[in-house]
Amino acid sequence: MMDWTDRHCRYFHRLLSPHALLYTEMVTTGALLHGNVSRHLAFHSDEHPVALQLGGSEPEAMARCAELAERWGYDEVNINVGCPSDRVQSGAFGACLMAEPDTVASCVAAMKSAVSIPVTVKTRIGIDDMDDYQNLFDFTAKVIAANCDNLTVHARKAWLKGLSPKENRDIPPLMYDKVYQLKRDYPELEVCINGGITDSASVSEHLRHTDGVMIGRAAYQNPWWLVELEQNLFDELHRPTQHEVVEGMLEYIEAELLAGGQLKHITRHMLGLFQAVPGAKQWRRHLSENAHLPGAGPELLRAAAAKVSPEPVSW
Ligand SMILES: Cc1cc2nc3c(=O)[nH]c(=O)nc-3n(C[C@H](O)[C@H](O)[C@H](O)COP(=O)(O)O)c2cc1C
């Protein structure tokens, strides 16, 4: 998620969920091929498994960026066919590519022949008036023919004109049944579902119909939920306390600050860690008011965490 799932956020989320597949923000082919590659691609080895999401529509450029992803150690490379922003539309990629399944298939095919890591696509159930199930079905047939390894579907359409990206994440109704139908129609394709999933019971229900669940905003806003999911789905013995997670960030923070990073760029992702725990407000306030000050370092997190009840939350 742009501006949210940067490498600091991913390092933090990895402490909460050892098994989840984490995604980068979308990086455009232009930014990678003509910009500062290490700024966009560098990540900490503890983040694995991590997927690089690309924005682009030129098969050759996408293949070269997929090679970069593989070379930098990413576990997967994903094509964004879901973002409706004007900036992305003017670059002719993102959600508008749902109207050009052949282009997406050419990108997948070019990337598959360039790398051996999985090449995956994230899309919506439709765009504008192209929102019948048949469109999604045909789109999927083309990406499967190009050997796409996984399709993740945000279960709402996008309106390319008239709604902002934020509105396009809330206003078009969620239609999970279309994603379930897609999995029934293409049982050999790994299909993950995304959109509006905010509790563990819903995750279990979606997993009865699909191969995986992608969680966006709820994981960012209530990161502690990731621990509950990790326990339910992968490792019931994964039981850190929030305070241990704070401690787990300190060494990373120290190294980042020594390398010239700023504390506030890391702590901003951690504000929701103690959600619903007595003292959570003081934790957030202490970080927000102090993390930007010159000289602020790891001890600030300890001081902020000391304002919160030491009891672990019970589910
Ligand atoms: C701030 C923000 C940035 C996002 N950036 C991306 C992005 O770069 N690539 C992408 O595929 N989806 C992006 N999304 C969409 C989410 O991945 C997800 O599809 C959407 O929020 C619906 O899932 P959710 O209800 O679990 O959040 C973004 C969402 C938000 C809130």
Side-chain angles (χ1 to χ4, degrees):
M1 293 184 283
M2 300 294 292
D3 202 36
W4 286 14
T5 58
D6 62 19
R7 61 195 177 85
H8 304 315
C9 175
R10 299 192 304 265
Y11 186 92
F12 169 53
H13 282 191
R14 179 58 71 216
L15 294 180
L16 301 165
S17 178
H19 288 89
L21 173 61
L22 301 176
Y23 285 79
T24 67
E25 308 163 89
M26 178 182 71
V27 182
T28 64
T29 50
L32 276 189
L33 297 177
H34 309 294
N36 181 335
V37 175
S38 91
R39 189 169 74 79
H40 293 295
L41 295 191
F43 68 99
H44 193 289
S45 58
D46 286 2
E47 289 176 37
H48 286 293
V50 58
L52 173 68
Q53 186 183 62
L54 291 177
S57 58
E58 282 282 321
E60 180 52 35
M62 292 292 271
R64 282 175 43 217
C65 290
E67 280 166 3
L68 282 173
E70 186 168 56
R71 206 174 312 143
W72 278 76
Y74 283 89
D75 299 286
E76 172 182 322
V77 59
N78 176 267
I79 308 176
N80 184 319
V81 187
C83 179
S85 81
D86 288 341
R87 191 177 67 85
V88 159
Q89 282 184 61
S90 65
F93 56 94
C96 61
L97 286 176
M98 281 205 87
E100 293 181 47
D102 291 322
T103 304
V104 179
S106 301
C107 289
V108 173
M111 293 159 77
K112 286 289 292 181
S113 55
V115 296
S116 55
I117 53 174
V119 175
T120 64
V121 171
K122 170 149 181 270
T123 189
R124 297 244 182 178
I125 54 173
I127 45 168
D128 299 335
D129 294 326
M130 289 181 60
D131 62 351
D132 339 333
Y133 177 70
Q134 189 64 41
N135 285 113
L136 181 61
F137 179 88
D138 294 343
F139 175 89
T140 304
K142 295 207 165 160
V143 298
I144 288 175
N147 285 326
C148 176
D149 291 290
N150 165 301
L151 188 68
T152 295
V153 188
H154 181 178
R156 49 165 72 85
K157 67 184 279 185
W159 287 104
L160 296 184
K161 294 274 170 284
L163 291 187
S164 69
K166 184 170 187 307
E167 290 168 330
N168 262 315
R169 291 195 284 267
D170 288 316
I171 292 177
L174 286 160
M175 296 187 179
Y176 295 130
D177 283 345
K178 291 195 179 187
V179 187
Y180 298 168
Q181 184 64 46
L182 198 67
K183 177 63 193 175
R184 281 196 295 276
D185 288 339
Y186 294 109
E188 75 287 3
L189 176 67
E190 190 176 284
V191 175
C192 295
I193 193 163
N194 166 246
I197 302 167
T198 57
D199 63 77
S200 299
S202 311
V203 168
S204 304
E205 177 58 21
H206 289 303
L207 288 175
R208 291 179 53 236
H209 304 277
T210 60
D211 301 298
V213 170
M214 174 188 272
I215 296 163
R217 289 165 291 186
Y220 189 85
Q221 283 149 4
N222 180 17
W224 195 244
W225 182 36
L226 290 171
V227 175
E228 179 183 337
L229 285 172
E230 176 74 23
Q231 286 173 10
N232 292 348
L233 299 174
F234 302 107
D235 177 5
E236 60 184 38
L237 298 177
H238 177 70
R239 293 182 180 277
T241 65
Q242 281 121 322
H243 289 273
E244 284 166 354
V245 171
V246 170
E247 289 294 314
M249 288 297 290
L250 300 183
E251 203 179 304
Y252 173 81
I253 287 174
E254 215 158 309
E256 284 295 322
L257 298 187
L258 272 175
Q262 291 182 47
L263 185 66
K264 63 179 179 181
H265 293 155
I266 304 173
T267 52
R268 73 189 186 99
H269 303 298
M270 300 175 66
L271 298 176
L273 177 62
F274 289 97
Q275 207 183 77
V277 178
K281 205 162 151 196
Q282 287 89 321
W283 154 263
R284 285 197 303 272
R285 187 185 303 148
H286 197 77
L287 290 183
S288 308
E289 289 177 355
N290 298 293
H292 63 284
L293 298 176
E299 71 292 341
L300 185 76
L301 272 91
R302 282 215 175 103
K307 297 178 181 299
V308 188
S309 153
E311 293 302 314
V313 278
S314 54
W315 306 115

